[in-house]
Amino acid sequence: MISFVLGVEDLADTRFALSPLSETVLSLRVLREPGLSAVHLPWRRSVLGRLGALDTGLLMSLVAQRRTLPDFLTPRPTAFSPSFEEELALVRAAPADLVRRDLAAAHAPDPLPEALLDAAGADDARVLGLRDAVCDLLQRYWEIAVEPMWPQMRLLLEADMTYRARQLAVGGARLLFAGMHPNLRWQDGVLHIGQMISRHQVCASGRGLLLVPSVFAHKPAPPVSPEEPPTLLYPSRGVATLWARAPAVAAPALVALLGAPRARLLGLLEEPLPTVEIARRFGVTPSAVSQHLRVLHATGLVSRARDGRQVLYRRSPLGDQLTGPRTDHAPRAPAPGA
């Protein structure tokens, strides 16, 4: 178990960040071990055919048998939304001692894989050469496997942060961590992270807590080293919808009446959804979705209700009549705030 001791100031300094580099590194687990998450199999199938001559052997050697990864590959984000290149620059600047230590810590008690074996007792120049080779591979891997999907991933992660911020505002730290993952437990000012191989306690001591939602994390992932500041990657909500295709275009008559984009949008709004989530599912910007929502709301086909700091949209009874009867015949629950 790993524990973070958080004081009042640390809770006041609890904040969120995005990390495209962490997503890239964590995705290596799914690439190496498809059984880890069936949700990501569509992504994995699409990526495997595009990797070509990329040295996946070296990339896969970074993932330990215990699924741990070297901490130096996932530096703590220094801004809310750093670019991949900004984060990778931090890795390229990692000193040889840190690279050597983190590789050993991630793979312990197992020996280093053959591809990394030279780094164990090599001089600094060879260790730094390995670091640079890994960075070059990660750059190309990001461009092939993650960057094309990053806009959709970012929308999902930002929607998760909006939800978590509301949980914190409504119920404090207890509610925030209670719904994040079963392995997390908040008690007496200490955040306990269970099911971890390492066992240590980290005092935040005024450094705050950084929360990083992740598409590819299958459980909460704090740094392996107790020397790192309190940082927690955790599985984002809604990942199961990320690789799903957008709803099919509605019946021809409805498309002729509303146009294809609004007909598809109306078909999606059987349940309440915020603008950012709708945009993510359709792969467009929130502003583009807002234009169509304004028209559908003005014509009475969509209703809206405020839930905290976000507005939820769903089909109105008139919209239901236009799209046809519900297939599950379940009673309709009121939207939050209605």
Side-chain angles (χ1 to χ4, degrees), residues 186-255:
W186 171 258
Q187 184 178 14
D188 299 330
V190 181
L191 177 62
H192 301 281
I193 308 160
Q195 304 298 314
M196 302 297 300
I197 297 172
S198 303
R199 303 184 68 88
H200 57 258
Q201 187 173 88
V202 178
C203 291
S205 302
R207 292 176 293 177
L209 172 64
L210 187 64
L211 298 172
V212 185
S214 170
V215 166
F216 288 107
H218 65 287
K219 65 176 184 178
V224 174
S225 171
E227 299 173 16
E228 298 295 323
T231 305
L232 185 67
L233 278 85
Y234 65 90
S236 174
R237 301 170 76 244
V239 172
T241 67
L242 186 58
W243 316 121
R245 295 182 178 180
V249 176
L254 189 58
V255 172

Side-chain angles (χ1 to χ4, degrees), residues 51-73:
L51 292 179
L54 201 66
D55 186 358
T56 53
L58 179 54
L59 286 178
M60 293 300 100
S61 70
L62 298 170
V63 185
Q65 293 296 326
R66 305 177 303 168
R67 300 173 182 155
T68 48
L69 290 154
D71 279 349
F72 80 94
L73 291 177

